[in-house]
Amino acid sequence: MANQVRELIEKLRVKPGDKVKLKASDADGDGLFKDEADTKAETLKIAAQVNELQDRLYAERQRSLLVVLQGMDTSGKDGTIRSVFNTTGPIGIAVTAFGRPSERELAHDYLWRVHAACPRRGTIGIFNRSHYEDVLVPRAHKLLPKSTIDERYGQINAFEKMLTENGTVVLKFMLHISADKQAERLQERLDEREKNWKFNPADLEDRALWEDFEEAYETLLEKCSTEEAPWYVIPADHKWVRNAAVGHIVKATLEDMDPKYPKPDWKPSDFKVV
Ligand code: ADP
């Protein structure tokens, strides 16, 4: 892996126990990448390489990759998926968007629906929102006792450790936008006809709780960034910076996994296609 990519990864990774101050942390990503046009071209190449690596992962069928995307509304979870996985074969990939839990889901523990959506061996699973909503929403909206939420951080770490010990590599990205950028993007959803469908009045309720969500994010980043399942805080005010950063980290992770095409236990020369 190129040194620059290693540096990028180290810069964005939350070390276990690190206290992140999101307000002080850069949502702009100035200086991470040089030229916008070059970076966009590089991201296209990365997407093609992610596709090649995914092909090997699929052929190997031993391990899987789970990519968790979290972030405030308009942080660009959908856009990131579209950019980084735009050429990845659909067979090897499964995107799950987690909305408010249904009655059936609420009848189970909060990890039930999440575990069921984890990627099969050989595939990449992408979570657009995740089990982290189960510590974010109740904390920011004060829906559960603090002690119940506090227990969940440990439960989540144990769950993710179990996944990694069973062949799933876990990557978690917090797409970090500023409150000003969110205001701009929400306003676009009101102003532009083609974006109206994306507007949900409930987003304004969450926006009004910006500081509470920020605090809830800081807590989960501190408590749930582990050696085996790290969190990355991705500057997301600029889409091209966000896409490039996530793309580099996904690609580097797959390269480290180094999936191999399986060797057949027969010789191709023993067969003749007639
Ligand atoms: P999006 O806003 O990501 O486009 P939706 O509007 O369908 O998607 O649903 C997202 C909403 O569901 C968000 O407000 C989110 O906080 C909420 N949500 C997701 N998971 C949970 C959960 N486990 N508990 C409570 N609310 C949740």
Side-chain angles (χ1 to χ4, degrees):
M1 192 193 310
N3 278 346
Q4 276 158 313
V5 176
R6 258 189 218 292
E7 272 167 34
L8 177 82
I9 291 176
E10 277 315 295
K11 202 166 176 180
L12 302 179
R13 187 168 71 94
V14 179
K15 279 78 184 169
D18 263 9
K19 287 192 192 320
V20 179
K21 282 278 154 229
L22 285 170
K23 246 193 214 37
S25 153
D26 178 25
D28 224 47
D30 272 349
L32 276 188
F33 302 100
K34 289 202 185 80
D35 179 75
E36 181 174 342
D38 288 352
T39 304
K40 283 180 172 168
E42 176 75 11
T43 303
L44 284 176
K45 275 196 221 148
I46 288 174
Q49 288 160 335
V50 166
N51 177 42
E52 283 169 25
L53 287 155
Q54 146 58 209
D55 194 57
R56 279 159 47 188
L57 188 74
Y58 192 74
E60 187 197 75
R61 282 194 212 198
Q62 298 294 319
R63 294 168 293 166
S64 56
L65 174 66
L66 174 61
V67 177
V68 171
L69 293 169
Q70 283 287 158
M72 295 295 281
D73 289 310
T74 77
S75 60
K77 299 180 284 295
D78 289 329
T80 305
I81 297 169
R82 216 174 297 132
S83 164
V84 176
F85 299 99
N86 66 7
T87 55
T88 307
I91 286 177
I93 216 150
V95 181
T96 308
F98 290 99
R100 286 179 208 290
S102 66
E103 213 172 302
R104 179 156 186 255
E105 288 166 345
L106 284 172
H108 293 268
D109 70 84
Y110 67 98
L111 290 172
W112 178 75
R113 66 173 184 166
V114 177
H115 198 182
C118 284
R120 281 179 295 131
R121 291 185 213 289
T123 67
I124 300 178
I126 303 165
F127 286 177
N128 180 339
R129 301 185 189 270
S130 65
H131 42 303
Y132 285 97
E133 292 292 319
D134 294 283
V135 284
L136 282 167
V137 177
R139 193 172 176 112
H141 286 271
K142 305 196 172 36
L143 301 174
L144 289 174
K146 192 174 165 296
S147 57
T148 305
I149 302 170
D150 282 345
E151 280 170 0
R152 290 187 173 183
Y153 301 111
Q155 292 162 359
I156 288 174
N157 289 343
F159 169 65
E160 292 177 355
K161 187 163 191 285
M162 183 278 294
L163 292 179
T164 59
E165 285 173 355
N166 285 277
T168 299
V169 172
V170 182
L171 275 181
K172 302 177 298 199
F173 297 108
M174 191 259 166
L175 307 182
H176 174 40
I177 51 165
S178 60
D180 286 349
K181 182 56 77 174
Q182 190 195 49
E184 199 183 292
R185 292 186 182 163
L186 285 174
Q187 193 59 48
E188 280 169 15
R189 292 181 177 186
L190 291 172
D191 294 344
E192 294 175 33
R193 174 71 194 86
E194 308 74 45
K195 291 191 181 169
N196 285 168
W197 66 275
K198 291 191 191 177
F199 183 77
N200 178 352
D203 297 347
L204 294 180
E205 287 167 31
D206 283 354
R207 178 170 169 78
L209 295 176
W210 185 272
E211 311 253 303
D212 302 274
F213 271 100
E214 202 165 56
E215 190 274 332
Y217 266 112
E218 289 172 353
T219 307
L220 72 83
L221 291 169
E222 180 190 334
K223 296 198 183 286
C224 297
S225 196
T226 57
E227 288 298 341
E228 55 271 358
W231 270 108
Y232 294 88
V233 176
I234 305 293
D237 271 5
H238 300 289
K239 295 173 186 175
W240 62 276
V241 171
R242 175 199 75 201
N243 295 342
V246 173
H248 273 294
I249 298 170
V250 169
K251 183 190 143 201
T253 303
L254 283 163
E255 279 174 347
D256 278 351
M257 288 172 78
D258 194 19
K260 302 261 192 310
Y261 286 114
K263 277 210 179 70
D265 52 6
W266 40 266
K267 283 207 265 34
S269 57
D270 289 346
F271 295 91
K272 198 165 161 44
V273 181
V274 287

